[in-house]
Amino acid sequence: MLEGLADLFETEIRTTCRRYDELAPQDPLIGIGLMCGDGISSFASYLLSASMLSAEAAADFRFNPLDWEPCSEIRELAEVNLLLQQVRIEVDDSNFPQYARRVFDSCIEALARLNLHDRYGSELFITMGGVDPTDLLEHEESRFVERVNRPATYEAWLRDYA
């Protein structure tokens, strides 16, 4: 059902990063947020640049993509969203938790291949979660953040946001 989703995430995230690098080559990327609705049928990407993180920002600002200014030129994940809309499972379906886990695991696999911490540095924060998260999405986000970020970043996220 979700075959090829990791490949689509990899392609879309790579393209998003390339577009960001072209648009803001002198402004380091320090955050990537992939946010979805409760039904996990579409995602939008949010990016945080070093220039957007002011010294006066609240401690949790760095960890909340919904506070970041969206960059409309590069926030779509069209191919990922197309596949998810074709295979979506209703939230009240008994298979929904497994579906959610497979979507998040597909993105974790894609990010492992991309190794974005080598590209943008160890301080890069990456998250994937719900715009209005349910308990299930909060659990998957926590697992995701722990798996794809450096330990110090994960600990800061737990302290300042989670």
Side-chain angles (χ1 to χ4, degrees):
M1 174 171 76
L2 293 174
E3 289 81 22
L5 184 58
D7 295 334
L8 290 176
F9 268 122
E10 180 181 4
T11 300
E12 300 265 12
I13 293 168
R14 179 183 295 116
T15 300
T16 295
C17 291
R18 186 174 332 134
R19 287 182 188 154
Y20 177 84
D21 292 344
E22 291 168 359
L23 290 171
Q26 303 303 319
D27 196 3
L29 183 63
I30 61 171
I32 300 172
L34 303 171
M35 306 306 290
C36 66
D38 292 348
I40 314 177
S41 61
S42 67
F43 282 89
S45 59
Y46 291 78
L47 305 177
L48 178 65
S49 66
S51 67
M52 289 171 55
L53 185 61
S54 68
E56 302 83 40
D60 68 344
F61 180 83
R62 178 173 180 237
F63 301 112
N64 187 1
L66 299 177
D67 287 344
W68 306 346
E69 185 176 320
C71 185
S72 61
E73 296 91 0
I74 52 179
R75 57 184 294 202
E76 296 306 319
L77 299 167
E79 296 298 320
V80 167
N81 292 340
L82 181 63
L83 176 60
L84 291 175
Q85 289 166 10
Q86 291 171 351
V87 300
R88 72 179 285 175
I89 293 177
E90 295 302 319
V91 176
D92 58 357
D93 187 300
S94 63
N95 292 315
F96 186 76
Q98 293 83 8
Y99 167 77
R101 173 64 56 102
R102 292 201 330 254
V103 171
F104 277 70
D105 283 348
S106 293
C107 191
I108 290 168
E109 180 184 332
L111 289 166
R113 291 185 216 157
L114 291 168
N115 199 6
L116 295 177
H117 290 99
D118 282 351
R119 182 176 185 165
Y120 295 109
S122 63
E123 295 296 312
L124 176 67
F125 171 68
I126 307 169
T127 189
M128 181 178 198
V131 172
D132 189 19
T134 61
D135 289 344
L136 173 66
L137 285 178
E138 285 180 353
H139 173 74
E140 288 301 324
E141 179 181 19
S142 179
R143 190 177 66 83
F144 180 92
V145 170
E146 182 177 22
R147 299 242 345 244
V148 302
N149 290 284
R150 301 288 194 242
T153 304
Y154 173 68
E155 290 168 15
W157 177 79
L158 283 175
R159 181 186 65 244
D160 295 337
Y161 185 73

